[in-house]
Amino acid sequence: MLPWLLRAWLLFVVIVLLAGGGLAYETWQDVCREYSTNLRVLAAAVADGTHLFLKGTQSSLAMLGQDTGKGADATPLAIHEKLQDYLVLNPDFNSVGVRAAGDGVVTAGMDKGLLRTLLSLPASPDARSRITDQQRQLIQRCRHVSGLCVGPPLPVRNPGHPQHPHWVVPLFLGAQGTPYRHSVVTNMVALLPLQHGQFPFWRNLPLPALSSVFLLRRDGFLESLYPLPTQSPFGAPQNGIAAQSIRAHPQARSASFYGLATAFNQWRLGAWNQVRGYPLVAGVGLPRSFLLAAWWNRMTGPLAAMLALLLLSTFGYWTFRRIGEDRQRERSAHDLRLWETKERAEVTLHSIGDGVITTDTQGRVTDINPVAESMLGSARSDLLGKPLETVFHIAHEGDHLPVENPIRRVLQEGRIVGLANHTVLLRADGQEIAIEDSAAPIHGRDGQVLGAVLVFHDVTERRRLTEHLAYQAHHDDLTGLPNRKWFLEQLRQATEAQPLPGDLLLVGILDLDGFKQVNDRWGHDQGDQLLCTVAQRVRETLRPEDSVSRLGGDEFGLLLPHMHDLEDAQHLAHRLIEALNQPIGMDTQVANVSASIGWAILPGDTGDAPQILRHADLALYAAKARGRNQYCFYEKSLDIEQEQLMEMLTMTQEALEAQNLVMYYQPVVTRPAPSASPEQGVIGFEALIRLQHPQRGLLTPAVFAEALDHPRLARRIGCFVLDAVLSQGEQWHQAGLPLRLSLNISARHLLDPEFLNDLQCALAAHPGIAPAYCEIEVTESAPMLDFQKAQETLRHCNAMGLRIALDDFGTGNASLSYLQKLPAQTIKIDQSFVLDMLNDPRDFAIVAGVAKTARMLGLEVIAEGVETVGHLQLLETLDCPAMQGYLFAKPMPAAAVPAWVKAFNILNYIGNSTPPPPITSWV
């Protein structure tokens, strides 16, 4: 039933579609014929209107020529007045001109240059340039034609839109064959402006929407077109469908056409009609979109009827088809259900990813799927009918002891049974496969057991992956060492276990010194290689029972059990540090690093695992604070120091937030030149920070020194110092005290990525003090931490106009190469050398050497700690005139600076054995 029903429905659809296509074609033809007839009637009306307009124009021009060409009216002034009157009576024209005997030209209206060109008299170059050769030929022809001649459209300048000119059509009237042939007038020209491309009288024509009206010469030149053409210009030969139709019917008076209109670059239906008495053709056109809209309006009803027929036929087809299919399904439902049940069982058995074996009540194999065949290594035909124990050999993973077959338990107990963990399948070829399985009974309708099914799958890869993930969870990917998690677990077990008498457990944290510089200088790849080498050296140095873990970054954890005494621990720590002091070769570089180690000892130390680790960390910080490249054991005093540090940080942070940090200023003086005034001996002031504590009073930096370079506060305090000192300096400069100010910058703030931005913002906020009056004082610690970064930052400071001073020179571990490589302008000799130089020849030699070296390098030298006239006199002998110390003044508040500068005179100190009493009210 179904095949013939489909064929009948398809035949009906084809017939409906063919009928609809034929109807659509006939409707389109009717629309084209109807509108073609209408357009021919409209084209005839346009042609007749054009004929009447041109005929009337010819008569009016002839009367104008006869009126202006005789008697006293033949003077130029009289002719001009007649022309003006003509334009008033004929508003469709914007210009008119006549040529009289003797080549005289009289014009009225607009475009006089164009009129002179058309009447063959000299005209402006601009007017001549607007006429093409083809247009000039047509104009020349019109001059010799008797009667009225329509010339080609010509562009005239549009003052408002130079790129879009107006178009005018010249109408020529010659003397030959006219009523004024005996007058002084020989030629006349009237300029008819095209309004949006059309003759003025066309505006009253009943044109359909979207239609166009045009006027062509017989030779194909476009005279007028409304709306304005988008592709073809006026006055140019046309090759569109209208021009082709005119050339194809040279003897016809009218015709219709359909095709591509080049003036609009669109398909159009149109008709043209010859203008009687003139070589002109008038036409009207409609775009294809208009015809399509008319066609669609007529086709809406038939198309709706066709669609309804198709929908009804489709509904009927699907209804009858569903009835037939339902009957067919009902006939085969029973057979299909039986087949599906059998097929589902077989497909399920052979398609699942697990191995499946079914048995009867005796435990003999009744079926097996391909996965089970592959895992057992035997063909299905060789396995069917055999007892399961003879083909399915399973054993324990470790000792290979036999495992009870789960099928036997299922057949005995009638319930689901699973294999024990870590069971392996022994294949016939001897290969072992780790498996997981379960067995279940097959019950009949009466509940009796009909057999059993065994499902098992290969878990070898999963067990391997589990072991690998367990390894990754407790080991470091880079070095292969156990990770922090493993270390903490081992430490927890060690702290909870009962130690043996006389047994010590050392818990250590090892941290590399200078590892950041390796990363910054040679990159992280070289840093990773360095860490791997360090891990290998530590493993080789430790005993077999010792453990090393990577806690993170360049930090390693150490667990050293069974140490007999502290001396053994010290010996092993020495070996570790010596091993890491050896140069480490990498791909392209050789690195020299050292290590610091912090130790906690059990059972001497108490607490849980995190507490023990914290104690080792405190010992590590102590080792680094004592100079690095050494080890330190935890003591309770370290906890006290840590608590004091936290109290100091809290106190400093609260003072910063409460604006209790203040700046004091200590002068830097020098012997002035002989011609200078004594007060000119003040070089500037060093800004020194103080903390105004509510209970303890004014505190010097020695009390809170570690907070000034702490990661949490270094930048905030540095920004405070920059703003406070520059603000004070700006006030002094505006008050007439151009003092140089030195600002102490901590090593951590100097190396901070935002330091230069902080400095620029501070200078921009205080434009009243020039950068040349600001000096950045840095100690040797910053270059030692990261020399390249410090060097680059200080060079940027010099580029901004600031001076650089190396403070406390000689107290650190820097070499004299700092003087050569760092962009400094000032060296400040530390007071620890200056104070004892009167009594200790070694300190005197150091001061003399530094002063001489600085002078040879062109650097300014300032001696700190000048407290007696003896210091002053001895420094003068060393040619070190710039000094700072209590001899001149202690650090003072900003309010005391102007009075001190005004009262200062270096001559009071030179040559006097006893200096004037210092002001002691300042701290």
Side-chain angles (χ1 to χ4, degrees):
M1 173 182 177
L2 296 180
W4 72 261
L5 180 63
L6 176 62
R7 287 194 294 269
W9 176 69
L10 291 177
L11 179 61
F12 178 78
V13 170
V14 171
I15 292 174
V16 172
L17 292 178
L18 290 176
L23 178 62
Y25 177 77
E26 287 299 327
T27 304
W28 174 256
Q29 295 297 324
D30 290 343
V31 169
C32 290
R33 284 193 294 269
E34 177 182 341
Y35 279 96
S36 177
T37 301
N38 295 339
L39 291 175
R40 293 185 74 146
V41 173
L42 189 57
V46 173
D48 291 342
T50 304
H51 168 75
L52 294 175
F53 174 77
L54 295 178
K55 199 69 175 175
T57 301
Q58 181 176 354
S59 299
S60 65
L61 288 176
M63 293 175 63
L64 176 63
Q66 185 176 10
D67 189 29
T68 59
K70 294 182 179 181
D73 293 337
T75 64
L77 180 59
I79 295 175
H80 181 268
E81 292 177 354
K82 295 293 185 179
L83 296 180
Q84 291 282 15
D85 295 341
Y86 180 81
L87 291 177
V88 172
L89 295 175
N90 295 273
D92 289 339
F93 298 100
N94 69 347
S95 304
V96 64
V98 299
R99 179 181 176 187
D103 293 333
V105 173
V106 180
T107 63
M110 304 167 61
D111 297 301
K112 295 181 175 57
L114 180 60
L115 287 172
R116 290 181 177 277
T117 301
L118 296 176
L119 292 172
S120 300
L121 287 177
S124 65
D126 179 66
R128 292 196 302 271
S129 64
R130 286 179 276 161
I131 302 177
T132 65
D133 293 339
Q134 295 174 334
Q135 292 170 338
R136 190 174 288 108
Q137 293 176 4
L138 294 176
I139 292 170
Q140 189 66 24
R141 191 185 308 166
C142 281
R143 289 177 181 160
H144 299 87
V145 173
S146 60
L148 185 69
C149 179
V150 180
L154 300 174
V156 295
R157 190 173 306 279
N158 184 355
H161 301 280
Q163 302 300 326
H164 304 284
H166 293 307
W167 291 86
V168 297
V169 175
L171 302 179
F172 293 85
L173 187 64
Q176 188 177 1
T178 62
Y180 63 93
R181 59 184 179 276
H182 298 296
S183 69
V184 296
V185 175
T186 60
N187 274 306
M188 299 184 66
V189 177
L191 298 182
L192 177 66
L194 297 178
Q195 298 179 3
H196 301 290
Q198 62 177 333
F199 280 15
F201 66 89
W202 286 356
R203 289 175 308 198
N204 299 323
L205 294 175
L207 297 176
L210 303 179
S211 63
S212 62
V213 57
F214 61 87
L215 185 66
L216 280 174
R217 301 172 64 91
R218 273 288 186 176
D219 51 12
F221 277 81
L222 180 63
E223 288 289 346
S224 176
L225 176 61
Y226 174 80
L228 290 172
T230 59
Q231 302 292 328
S232 301
F234 285 124
Q238 303 296 305
N239 195 32
I241 185 62
Q244 295 176 17
S245 175
I246 294 171
R247 285 194 291 269
H249 305 85
Q251 303 301 325
R253 293 187 56 82
S254 65
S256 300
F257 60 86
Y258 179 74
L260 181 65
T262 57
F264 299 101
N265 194 27
Q266 62 178 211
W267 287 77
R268 302 180 76 86
L269 173 68
W272 56 268
N273 196 290
Q274 183 176 355
V275 178
R276 289 181 292 110
Y278 300 94
L280 300 172
V281 171
V284 182
L286 283 173
R288 182 168 54 184
S289 59
F290 182 89
L291 302 175
L292 288 173
W295 172 83
W296 177 254
N297 289 334
R298 298 186 185 185
M299 285 297 298
T300 302
L303 287 177
M306 291 170 53
L307 181 60
L309 285 175
L310 291 176
L311 291 176
L312 288 174
S313 65
T314 303
F315 176 77
Y317 165 73
W318 284 107
T319 300
F320 286 111
R321 177 176 176 174
R322 185 173 62 254
I323 294 173
E325 290 176 346
D326 290 343
R327 291 178 179 177
Q328 185 175 354
R329 281 193 296 270
E330 289 174 1
R331 286 192 299 267
S332 60
H334 180 69
D335 295 339
L336 183 61
R337 279 194 295 271
L338 292 177
W339 179 87
E340 285 178 351
T341 302
K342 180 177 179 297
E343 184 70 11
R344 186 178 296 109
E346 292 183 357
V347 170
T348 302
L349 180 64
H350 291 80
S351 300
I352 61 177
D354 294 344
V356 179
I357 301 176
T358 60
T359 69
D360 57 15
T361 56
Q362 303 301 317
R364 293 186 294 266
V365 177
T366 58
D367 202 355
I368 183 172
N369 72 344
V371 177
E373 287 185 74
S374 175
M375 293 179 65
L376 294 175
S378 301
R380 181 173 183 272
S381 59
D382 297 335
L383 301 175
L384 294 177
K386 293 183 177 180
L388 185 63
E389 291 86 351
T390 63
V391 298
F392 188 71
H393 303 285
I394 53 178
H396 286 291
E397 185 176 18
D399 51 17
H400 288 80
L401 294 176
V403 175
E404 181 185 5
N405 196 307
I407 287 293
R408 291 301 174 187
R409 291 184 58 190
V410 168
L411 295 175
Q412 294 172 3
E413 302 175 8
R415 62 181 182 85
I416 298 175
V417 176
L419 268 185
N421 292 330
H422 304 290
T423 301
V424 294
L425 172 65
L426 304 178
R427 288 166 47 102
D429 56 5
Q431 182 180 352
E432 297 182 5
I433 301 176
I435 64 170
E436 290 180 354
D437 72 350
S438 64
I442 302 175
H443 293 283
R445 298 181 106 185
D446 56 358
Q448 296 295 319
V449 175
L450 303 178
V453 57
L454 175 68
V455 180
F456 58 97
H457 57 274
D458 188 352
V459 294
T460 304
E461 186 61 30
R462 191 175 74 184
R463 288 184 184 174
R464 186 182 298 113
L465 178 60
T466 302
E467 293 173 358
H468 178 68
L469 291 176
Y471 177 85
Q472 282 188 324
H474 294 89
H475 286 77
D476 176 50
D477 290 338
L478 176 64
T479 62
L481 295 176
N483 59 13
R484 185 183 188 91
K485 181 179 179 181
W486 182 91
F487 180 81
L488 291 175
E489 178 61 25
Q490 296 299 312
L491 180 58
R492 183 189 63 79
Q493 295 178 9
T495 56
E496 294 176 355
Q498 187 68 29
L500 297 175
D503 237 10
L504 298 180
L505 171 65
L506 263 69
V507 180
I509 298 180
L510 183 150
D511 187 83
L512 297 180
D513 303 326
F515 177 71
K516 182 179 184 299
Q517 284 71 22
V518 174
N519 266 346
D520 293 344
R521 184 176 181 183
W522 295 320
H524 290 277
D525 291 341
Q526 298 294 316
D528 290 346
Q529 188 176 351
L530 174 66
L531 290 175
C532 292
T533 305
V534 168
Q536 181 180 356
R537 285 192 182 180
V538 173
R539 277 197 301 258
E540 293 172 351
T541 304
L542 296 178
R543 302 168 303 169
E545 63 267 29
D546 298 333
S547 301
V548 56
S549 304
R550 186 184 178 200
L551 302 183
D554 59 338
E555 196 171 70
F556 298 85
L558 305 172
L559 285 177
L560 281 59
H562 310 308
M563 302 296 295
H564 299 298
D565 50 39
L566 188 59
E567 186 177 351
D568 290 344
Q570 291 174 339
H571 178 68
L572 187 55
H574 276 298
R575 288 174 53 198
L576 276 174
I577 290 178
E578 290 175 359
L580 295 179
N581 278 338
Q582 301 301 317
I584 297 178
M586 297 179 289
D587 291 339
T588 59
Q589 306 291 339
V590 175
N592 291 285
V593 296
S594 61
S596 301
I597 310 176
W599 296 104
I601 304 177
L602 295 177
D605 202 354
T606 57
D608 55 8
Q611 186 74 4
I612 298 298
L613 194 63
R614 188 181 71 84
H615 291 167
D617 206 23
L618 287 177
L620 172 65
Y621 287 144
K624 286 186 173 292
R626 295 172 186 176
R628 308 189 178 201
N629 195 27
Q630 56 184 289
Y631 62 88
C632 181
F633 288 95
Y634 168 75
E635 299 173 355
K636 289 186 177 180
S637 60
L638 296 179
D639 264 335
I640 297 175
E641 292 176 4
Q642 186 69 13
E643 292 177 2
Q644 292 175 348
L645 174 60
M646 294 306 298
E647 291 177 0
M648 179 189 62
L649 290 177
T650 303
M651 176 188 70
T652 307
Q653 183 172 352
E654 291 175 353
L656 180 62
E657 294 172 352
Q659 299 182 355
N660 287 335
L661 292 180
V662 295
M663 301 306 300
Y664 271 53
Y665 300 87
Q666 186 177 27
V668 179
V669 302
T670 185
R671 178 192 290 272
S675 61
S677 59
E679 62 272 11
Q680 292 180 346
V682 180
I683 296 177
F685 283 80
E686 179 183 2
L688 302 169
I689 195 167
R690 298 288 187 267
L691 191 151
Q692 187 67 50
H693 196 275
Q695 288 82 32
R696 299 166 61 183
L698 192 66
L699 304 179
T700 62
V703 179
F704 55 99
E706 292 188 36
L708 298 177
D709 201 38
H710 194 272
R712 195 171 67 191
L713 297 176
R715 185 186 174 201
R716 294 179 60 190
I717 294 177
C719 292
F720 162 76
V721 171
L722 286 172
D723 182 69
V725 175
L726 292 180
S727 176
Q728 185 61 61
E730 188 176 36
Q731 296 177 23
W732 285 337
H733 278 238
Q734 292 173 353
L737 285 176
L739 300 173
R740 189 174 83 190
L741 296 178
S742 299
L743 300 87
N744 289 281
I745 299 299
S746 68
R748 191 172 299 276
H749 191 200
L750 181 72
L751 298 178
D752 192 287
E754 294 297 324
F755 171 71
L756 290 176
N757 186 46
D758 295 340
L759 184 57
Q760 289 175 344
C761 292
L763 290 173
H766 304 288
I769 179 171
Y773 285 92
C774 301
E775 187 172 62
I776 300 296
E777 289 195 15
V778 295
T779 61
E780 298 171 354
S781 57
M784 289 178 65
L785 291 175
D786 192 338
F787 184 84
Q788 185 176 1
K789 176 65 175 177
Q791 185 184 45
E792 180 183 355
T793 302
L794 294 178
R795 284 178 178 170
H796 279 291
C797 292
N798 276 167
M800 294 164 61
L802 285 83
R803 295 172 57 87
I804 304 299
L806 294 181
D807 195 14
D808 300 338
F809 187 80
T811 59
N813 297 323
S815 64
L816 289 176
S817 63
Y818 275 29
L819 301 180
Q820 178 188 10
K821 296 179 180 179
L822 291 179
Q825 289 75 44
T826 302
I827 295 176
K828 302 189 75 172
I829 305 175
D830 188 68
Q831 61 179 351
S832 61
F833 302 114
V834 176
L835 287 174
D836 293 335
M837 64 182 291
L838 296 175
N839 304 316
D840 192 336
R842 292 174 299 179
D843 287 343
F844 174 79
I846 293 174
V847 174
V850 173
K852 185 174 182 180
T853 302
R855 287 197 307 274
M856 295 179 67
L857 293 175
L859 302 177
E860 178 186 59
V861 182
I862 299 176
E864 297 179 315
V866 179
E867 296 188 353
T868 68
V869 174
H871 289 107
L872 184 151
Q873 293 172 346
L874 188 55
L875 288 171
E876 285 184 346
T877 64
L878 297 179
D879 196 13
C880 181
M883 296 162 286
Q884 182 179 354
Y886 285 4
L887 174 64
F888 310 106
K890 293 183 179 180
M892 64 187 76
V897 168
W900 185 91
V901 173
K902 184 176 180 181
F904 175 76
N905 191 335
I906 191 64
L907 299 179
N908 293 333
Y909 304 89
I910 301 174
N912 295 334
S913 59
T914 303
I919 301 175
T920 59
S921 61
W922 305 324
V923 178

